[in-house]
Amino acid sequence: MDLTSSNPPFLPDLAIEIQDLNKVYGGGRRPSKRALNEFSLNIPRGSFFGLLGPNGAGKSTLINIMAGLVKKSSGKVRIWGSDIETDERQARCAIGVVPQELNLDPFFTPREVLEVQAGFYGVPKRERRTAEILELVGLTDKADAYARALSGGMRRRLLVAKALVHAPPIVVLDEPTAGVDVELRQQLWRHIRELNARGATVLLTTHYLEEAEELCDHIAIINHGKLVACDSTHALLRRIDNKSVSLILAKPLSKVPEVMQRLHAVQTAPNELHINYRPSANAMQEILDAARSCELSVADIRTDEVELEDIFLQLTSGSKDEAD
């Protein structure tokens, strides 16, 4: 399934371009709330991009603006090279949104859901790929079952299928695994990875930080409607200058040697020393040299790497939720 075949014959370097985007709710008699504040972001074509932020950070507002459901206050948004205001039709055709809510008609079958959705987008019957999409998301054997008879995981997959009927080159997933058990979550991600491998640009919002760390090649963090971080996942994980190492010793210690105390080593077991250190100030080799200088025999080394959650908490700690 070619996810760019029904779109313009060019392939832009950037799937989504957002410049100085603002959204203010209310005003007049009601107090105004700024959901997006001079927000700028570029998402490369073909990437698996994560958008993270606490509740009320502005993620849903951003997605709704891109989908044409909310009007921006100011700024520019281009989707697959088309401005969402001056080229609204093309912009909407270039994006497929998988919402948080399971908004399916319980009396429609998956086949009927996709056919109706394709009709909304004006896809001619001869060009519809209903069977192919159902196979892609693993619902071929449920094609003619009522939606109300599907499990929660199957309904999630049907929402993904629904977003693909017009072959959009960009797929936006808004908390797609909320309330889904671990097994079904893994199934869903297999299908999304396949979409990305077939050429789709994927934008994911999620509260499961381990998902974003595992799946996304780039991650942006939004807080109070502002972009507070944007980088490759690997580079982002290197931002926190803090690591820890445990030295498993061949023999137990009666006390921590003075040279190790200078490195703030803590004895956590008779034969184990734990050290928190800053890579910018202390190299691992310095720690090993110190252990060797006091004749400690190191049997094993265990390191704890920085996780995305550490970055997220550092950048969003102390935030107060606003309108999302």
Side-chain angles (χ1 to χ4, degrees), residues 118-135:
F120 287 154
Y121 277 94
V123 181
K125 287 192 175 183
R126 65 181 180 279
E127 297 179 11
R128 295 179 187 177
R129 299 167 173 176
T130 299
E132 185 179 352
I133 295 172
L134 288 172
E135 182 179 0

Side-chain angles (χ1 to χ4, degrees), residues 57-266:
K59 303 184 300 295
S60 294
T61 295
L62 178 62
I63 289 173
N64 287 335
I65 288 174
M66 290 191 295
L69 302 175
V70 170
K71 292 292 184 182
K72 60 185 175 64
S73 299
S74 63
K76 296 286 185 181
V77 179
R78 294 175 66 84
I79 297 175
W80 207 250
S82 298
D83 188 279
I84 63 170
E85 284 189 330
T86 59
D87 300 312
E88 182 179 4
R89 183 178 180 84
Q90 283 192 338
R92 288 196 183 189
C93 285
I95 193 169
V97 178
V98 181
Q100 294 183 40
E101 300 80 13
L102 293 171
N103 55 353
L104 296 168
D105 189 316
F107 297 102
F108 276 45
T109 67
R111 192 189 308 278
E112 291 168 339
V113 167
L114 300 196
E115 286 292 318
V116 170
Q117 186 75 358
F120 287 154
Y121 277 94
V123 181
K125 287 192 175 183
R126 65 181 180 279
E127 297 179 11
R128 295 179 187 177
R129 299 167 173 176
T130 299
E132 185 179 352
I133 295 172
L134 288 172
E135 182 179 0
L136 178 67
V137 299
L139 288 176
T140 299
D141 60 338
K142 299 292 184 180
D144 299 306
Y146 286 126
R148 68 175 183 270
L150 301 179
S151 68
M154 291 177 180
R155 293 181 190 182
R156 289 283 178 193
R157 281 185 269 156
L158 181 54
L159 286 178
V160 174
K162 188 178 175 183
L164 300 179
V165 296
H166 56 298
I170 302 167
V171 179
V172 178
L173 302 141
D174 191 6
E175 300 287 346
T177 56
V180 175
D181 65 39
V182 174
E183 182 179 358
L184 293 175
R185 189 181 304 167
Q186 293 301 318
Q187 290 177 10
L188 182 60
W189 287 133
R190 280 199 296 272
H191 299 307
I192 299 302
R193 279 194 179 103
E194 184 174 350
L195 283 177
N196 183 237
R198 289 175 178 233
T201 301
V202 178
L203 173 60
L204 166 71
T205 75
T206 180
H207 281 98
Y208 298 106
L209 299 185
E210 69 278 6
E211 280 186 349
E213 186 173 343
E214 178 184 352
L215 294 167
C216 300
D217 48 61
H218 285 76
I219 290 175
I221 298 177
I222 181 175
N223 195 28
H224 289 319
K226 294 182 178 181
L227 184 69
V228 296
C230 182
D231 214 328
S232 68
T233 305
H234 176 70
L236 203 57
L237 290 171
R238 294 177 60 184
R239 283 200 179 190
I240 288 186
D241 188 24
N242 183 30
K243 289 188 176 182
S244 64
V245 59
S246 293
L247 304 181
I248 314 301
L249 307 176
K251 298 179 180 180
L253 285 176
S254 57
K255 68 174 184 176
V256 179
E258 184 178 346
V259 67
M260 299 306 293
Q261 290 181 28
R262 295 193 199 115
L263 294 173
H264 307 290
V266 176

Side-chain angles (χ1 to χ4, degrees), residues 5-68:
S5 61
S6 64
N7 292 282
F10 70 93
L11 295 176
D13 291 333
L14 296 175
I16 297 173
E17 303 169 71
I18 303 170
Q19 182 179 2
D20 300 328
L21 184 62
N22 291 283
K23 176 59 184 178
V24 179
Y25 290 104
R29 295 182 179 180
R30 294 185 299 166
S32 62
K33 289 187 177 180
R34 182 175 292 274
L36 293 172
N37 188 357
E38 298 296 320
F39 185 88
S40 297
L41 179 67
N42 290 328
I43 297 179
R45 170 174 53 87
S47 64
F48 202 129
F49 203 99
L51 179 64
L52 310 181
N55 289 331
K59 303 184 300 295
S60 294
T61 295
L62 178 62
I63 289 173
N64 287 335
I65 288 174
M66 290 191 295

